[in-house]
């Protein structure tokens, strides 16, 4: 493939099908960051994410001729990778609660909503943020695989519901339902993260109303009329 060309995703996929040995590598390199972010958040740890991403890329490599152009190539690639990850989760009956791996910050530019670490950030603030991040990822890992995938794609990666429906091969209403149920379960699991709530502390409540103080003097009447 010539270096001065900038082919589209569709052209790269077609070139791969036609026997170009470099085309698929260029296509993968173009989209690997977001594909990795989705695999990592879906699987919960880098080892399983790498396996899921590899499974997905092998499947995409072999099934490229089946691409009909009904969706964008990137949407199709995400669908293949997510399905590969879900297949691994189902097969292993994985319900992990692993914290977010320390090396995820290496991929700070990957994914729509990935946070960046400021060099001047307060270490105490970073520690609190890391603890909350760990809790969020642990709670996310406890969700059923289909709900987790929908939340990762919609809420964490920022894809439109319609596009996620194509990725997950289901109706838009199904995506919305999975997101709604997943958010409800996360809300319960992450209740301690609400403002004013800390682990092992009672929930905040209004202080008890003190008994009224009674005056020992007789009440005064209205002022006399002149």
């Amino acid at each position: 493939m010539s270096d001065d060309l900038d082919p589209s995703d569709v052209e790269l996929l077609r070139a791969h099908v036609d026997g170009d040995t470099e085309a698929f590598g260029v296509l993968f390199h173009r989209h690997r960051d977001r594909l990795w972010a989705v695999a990592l958040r879906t699987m919960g740890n880098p080892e399983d994410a790498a396996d899921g991403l590899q499974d997905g890329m092998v499947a995409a490599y072999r099934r490229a001729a089946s691409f009909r152009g009904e969706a964008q190539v990137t949407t199709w690639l995400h669908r293949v990778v997510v399905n590969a990850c879900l297949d691994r989760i189902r097969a292993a009956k994985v319900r992990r609660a692993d914290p977010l791996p320390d090396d995820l910050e290496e991929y700070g530019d990957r994914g729509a909503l990935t946070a960046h670490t400021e060099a001047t950030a307060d270490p105490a603030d970073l520690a609190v943020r890391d603890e909350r991040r760990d809790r969020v990822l642990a709670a996310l890992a406890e969700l059923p695989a289909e709900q987790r995938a929908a939340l990762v794609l919609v809420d964490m990666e920022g894809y439109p519901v319609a596009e996620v429906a194509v990725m997950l091969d289901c109706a838009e209403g199904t995506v919305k339902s999975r997101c709604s149920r997943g958010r409800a379960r996360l809300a319960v699991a992450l209740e301690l993260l609400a403002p004013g709530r800390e682990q092992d502390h009672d929930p905040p409540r209004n202080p008890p109303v003190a008994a009224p103080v009674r005056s020992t003097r007789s009440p005064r009447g209205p002022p006399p009329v002149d």
Side-chain angles (χ1 to χ4, degrees), residues 1 10 15 23 70 75 112 117 119 121 127 143 148 157 169 175 179 181 197 210 220:
M1 180 171 296
V10 173
E70 298 174 353
T75 301
T117 302
L143 294 179
R148 187 194 315 179
E157 290 299 311
D169 194 22
V175 174
C179 287
R181 294 198 303 270
R197 295 294 302 275
R220 295 187 302 172

mmCIF file of all heavy atoms in Angstrom, residues 1 10 15 23 70 75 112 117 119 121 127 143 148 157 169 175 179 181 197 210 220:
data_model
loop_
_atom_site.group_PDB
_atom_site.id
_atom_site.type_symbol
_atom_site.label_atom_id
_atom_site.label_comp_id
_atom_site.label_asym_id
_atom_site.label_seq_id
_atom_site.Cartn_x
_atom_site.Cartn_y
_atom_site.Cartn_z
ATOM 1 N N MET A 1 0.850 -1.200 0.000
ATOM 2 C CA MET A 1 0.000 0.000 0.000
ATOM 3 C C MET A 1 0.874 1.234 0.000
ATOM 4 O O MET A 1 1.801 1.349 0.801
ATOM 5 C CB MET A 1 -0.902 0.006 1.231
ATOM 6 C CG MET A 1 -1.817 1.212 1.306
ATOM 7 S SD MET A 1 -3.028 1.043 2.634
ATOM 8 C CE MET A 1 -3.942 -0.366 2.028
ATOM 9 N N VAL A 10 -13.671 1.850 4.472
ATOM 10 C CA VAL A 10 -14.283 0.905 3.532
ATOM 11 C C VAL A 10 -13.267 0.450 2.494
ATOM 12 O O VAL A 10 -13.182 -0.735 2.156
ATOM 13 C CB VAL A 10 -15.512 1.539 2.850
ATOM 14 C CG1 VAL A 10 -16.044 0.624 1.750
ATOM 15 C CG2 VAL A 10 -16.609 1.814 3.880
ATOM 16 N N ALA A 15 -9.717 -3.611 0.315
ATOM 17 C CA ALA A 15 -8.364 -3.973 -0.101
ATOM 18 C C ALA A 15 -7.894 -5.232 0.622
ATOM 19 O O ALA A 15 -7.236 -6.098 0.027
ATOM 20 C CB ALA A 15 -7.408 -2.813 0.184
ATOM 21 N N ALA A 23 -3.461 -3.822 4.467
ATOM 22 C CA ALA A 23 -4.661 -3.005 4.648
ATOM 23 C C ALA A 23 -5.303 -3.194 6.016
ATOM 24 O O ALA A 23 -5.672 -2.221 6.682
ATOM 25 C CB ALA A 23 -5.671 -3.308 3.543
ATOM 26 N N GLU A 70 -23.749 -1.767 5.580
ATOM 27 C CA GLU A 70 -24.991 -1.277 6.174
ATOM 28 C C GLU A 70 -24.725 -0.370 7.370
ATOM 29 O O GLU A 70 -25.631 0.302 7.856
ATOM 30 C CB GLU A 70 -25.867 -2.458 6.594
ATOM 31 C CG GLU A 70 -26.282 -3.330 5.409
ATOM 32 C CD GLU A 70 -27.015 -4.577 5.852
ATOM 33 O OE1 GLU A 70 -27.082 -4.821 7.073
ATOM 34 O OE2 GLU A 70 -27.520 -5.300 4.977
ATOM 35 N N THR A 75 -18.224 0.988 13.354
ATOM 36 C CA THR A 75 -19.341 0.394 14.086
ATOM 37 C C THR A 75 -19.287 -1.121 13.989
ATOM 38 O O THR A 75 -19.487 -1.842 14.987
ATOM 39 C CB THR A 75 -20.682 0.893 13.523
ATOM 40 O OG1 THR A 75 -20.731 2.320 13.641
ATOM 41 C CG2 THR A 75 -21.858 0.284 14.269
ATOM 42 N N ALA A 112 -13.937 8.063 24.977
ATOM 43 C CA ALA A 112 -14.527 9.388 24.946
ATOM 44 C C ALA A 112 -14.466 10.086 26.289
ATOM 45 O O ALA A 112 -14.299 11.293 26.365
ATOM 46 C CB ALA A 112 -15.995 9.288 24.492
ATOM 47 N N THR A 117 -4.970 12.942 34.138
ATOM 48 C CA THR A 117 -4.390 13.285 35.422
ATOM 49 C C THR A 117 -3.560 14.544 35.271
ATOM 50 O O THR A 117 -2.656 14.597 34.462
ATOM 51 C CB THR A 117 -3.493 12.145 35.939
ATOM 52 O OG1 THR A 117 -4.283 10.969 36.040
ATOM 53 C CG2 THR A 117 -2.907 12.497 37.280
ATOM 54 N N ALA A 119 -0.761 17.196 36.347
ATOM 55 C CA ALA A 119 0.498 17.074 37.065
ATOM 56 C C ALA A 119 0.450 17.782 38.406
ATOM 57 O O ALA A 119 1.160 17.414 39.340
ATOM 58 C CB ALA A 119 1.626 17.644 36.200
ATOM 59 N N ALA A 121 -2.204 18.004 40.372
ATOM 60 C CA ALA A 121 -3.325 17.547 41.189
ATOM 61 C C ALA A 121 -2.861 17.195 42.598
ATOM 62 O O ALA A 121 -1.755 16.707 42.803
ATOM 63 C CB ALA A 121 -3.983 16.344 40.537
ATOM 64 N N ALA A 127 -6.089 10.240 45.354
ATOM 65 C CA ALA A 127 -6.373 9.010 46.091
ATOM 66 C C ALA A 127 -7.877 8.779 46.200
ATOM 67 O O ALA A 127 -8.360 7.657 46.020
ATOM 68 C CB ALA A 127 -5.749 9.073 47.478
ATOM 69 N N LEU A 143 -22.324 -6.319 36.829
ATOM 70 C CA LEU A 143 -23.533 -6.289 36.000
ATOM 71 C C LEU A 143 -23.559 -7.463 35.040
ATOM 72 O O LEU A 143 -22.513 -7.974 34.640
ATOM 73 C CB LEU A 143 -23.583 -4.989 35.195
ATOM 74 C CG LEU A 143 -23.739 -3.674 35.945
ATOM 75 C CD1 LEU A 143 -23.740 -2.523 34.957
ATOM 76 C CD2 LEU A 143 -24.990 -3.667 36.788
ATOM 77 N N ARG A 148 -23.668 -4.450 30.947
ATOM 78 C CA ARG A 148 -22.350 -3.840 31.023
ATOM 79 C C ARG A 148 -21.924 -3.302 29.658
ATOM 80 O O ARG A 148 -21.433 -2.172 29.551
ATOM 81 C CB ARG A 148 -21.332 -4.864 31.519
ATOM 82 C CG ARG A 148 -19.955 -4.269 31.783
ATOM 83 C CD ARG A 148 -18.890 -5.330 31.949
ATOM 84 N NE ARG A 148 -19.273 -6.429 32.798
ATOM 85 C CZ ARG A 148 -18.504 -7.473 33.057
ATOM 86 N NH1 ARG A 148 -17.292 -7.550 32.513
ATOM 87 N NH2 ARG A 148 -18.920 -8.452 33.838
ATOM 88 N N GLU A 157 -18.352 5.432 26.507
ATOM 89 C CA GLU A 157 -17.745 5.752 25.216
ATOM 90 C C GLU A 157 -18.514 6.808 24.437
ATOM 91 O O GLU A 157 -18.006 7.370 23.475
ATOM 92 C CB GLU A 157 -17.617 4.487 24.365
ATOM 93 C CG GLU A 157 -16.578 3.508 24.882
ATOM 94 C CD GLU A 157 -15.187 4.118 24.916
ATOM 95 O OE1 GLU A 157 -14.762 4.706 23.903
ATOM 96 O OE2 GLU A 157 -14.527 4.023 25.956
ATOM 97 N N ASP A 169 -26.408 -5.649 17.900
ATOM 98 C CA ASP A 169 -27.359 -6.422 17.099
ATOM 99 C C ASP A 169 -28.678 -6.606 17.838
ATOM 100 O O ASP A 169 -29.177 -7.717 18.023
ATOM 101 C CB ASP A 169 -26.768 -7.789 16.734
ATOM 102 C CG ASP A 169 -27.574 -8.490 15.636
ATOM 103 O OD1 ASP A 169 -28.290 -7.786 14.905
ATOM 104 O OD2 ASP A 169 -27.479 -9.734 15.529
ATOM 105 N N VAL A 175 -31.428 -1.572 23.907
ATOM 106 C CA VAL A 175 -30.258 -0.860 24.432
ATOM 107 C C VAL A 175 -30.680 0.069 25.566
ATOM 108 O O VAL A 175 -30.051 0.098 26.633
ATOM 109 C CB VAL A 175 -29.568 -0.049 23.318
ATOM 110 C CG1 VAL A 175 -28.435 0.798 23.902
ATOM 111 C CG2 VAL A 175 -29.025 -0.973 22.247
ATOM 112 N N CYS A 179 -29.502 -0.236 29.453
ATOM 113 C CA CYS A 179 -28.853 0.888 30.129
ATOM 114 C C CYS A 179 -29.626 1.293 31.377
ATOM 115 O O CYS A 179 -29.032 1.551 32.429
ATOM 116 C CB CYS A 179 -28.736 2.077 29.178
ATOM 117 S SG CYS A 179 -27.477 1.894 27.888
ATOM 118 N N ARG A 181 -31.685 -0.538 33.251
ATOM 119 C CA ARG A 181 -31.543 -1.534 34.316
ATOM 120 C C ARG A 181 -30.132 -1.513 34.896
ATOM 121 O O ARG A 181 -29.943 -1.647 36.112
ATOM 122 C CB ARG A 181 -31.879 -2.926 33.782
ATOM 123 C CG ARG A 181 -33.340 -3.107 33.380
ATOM 124 C CD ARG A 181 -33.716 -4.571 33.289
ATOM 125 N NE ARG A 181 -32.871 -5.294 32.347
ATOM 126 C CZ ARG A 181 -33.143 -5.439 31.051
ATOM 127 N NH1 ARG A 181 -34.243 -4.884 30.552
ATOM 128 N NH2 ARG A 181 -32.349 -6.128 30.256
ATOM 129 N N ARG A 197 -21.933 10.919 51.634
ATOM 130 C CA ARG A 197 -21.947 9.551 52.107
ATOM 131 C C ARG A 197 -20.538 9.005 52.166
ATOM 132 O O ARG A 197 -19.761 9.164 51.258
ATOM 133 C CB ARG A 197 -22.774 8.652 51.181
ATOM 134 C CG ARG A 197 -24.230 8.984 51.141
ATOM 135 C CD ARG A 197 -24.906 8.715 52.492
ATOM 136 N NE ARG A 197 -24.746 7.329 52.900
ATOM 137 C CZ ARG A 197 -25.549 6.342 52.511
ATOM 138 N NH1 ARG A 197 -26.533 6.580 51.693
ATOM 139 N NH2 ARG A 197 -25.356 5.101 52.950
ATOM 140 N N ALA A 210 -34.982 20.093 68.960
ATOM 141 C CA ALA A 210 -34.935 20.267 70.415
ATOM 142 C C ALA A 210 -36.299 20.676 70.930
ATOM 143 O O ALA A 210 -37.101 21.298 70.237
ATOM 144 C CB ALA A 210 -33.896 21.325 70.770
ATOM 145 N N ARG A 220 -47.087 38.796 77.452
ATOM 146 C CA ARG A 220 -47.562 40.165 77.435
ATOM 147 C C ARG A 220 -48.733 40.342 76.488
ATOM 148 O O ARG A 220 -48.763 39.714 75.435
ATOM 149 C CB ARG A 220 -46.440 41.125 77.022
ATOM 150 C CG ARG A 220 -45.300 41.176 78.036
ATOM 151 C CD ARG A 220 -44.304 42.250 77.669
ATOM 152 N NE ARG A 220 -43.764 42.033 76.329
ATOM 153 C CZ ARG A 220 -42.976 42.933 75.714
ATOM 154 N NH1 ARG A 220 -42.672 44.065 76.312
ATOM 155 N NH2 ARG A 220 -42.512 42.673 74.505
#
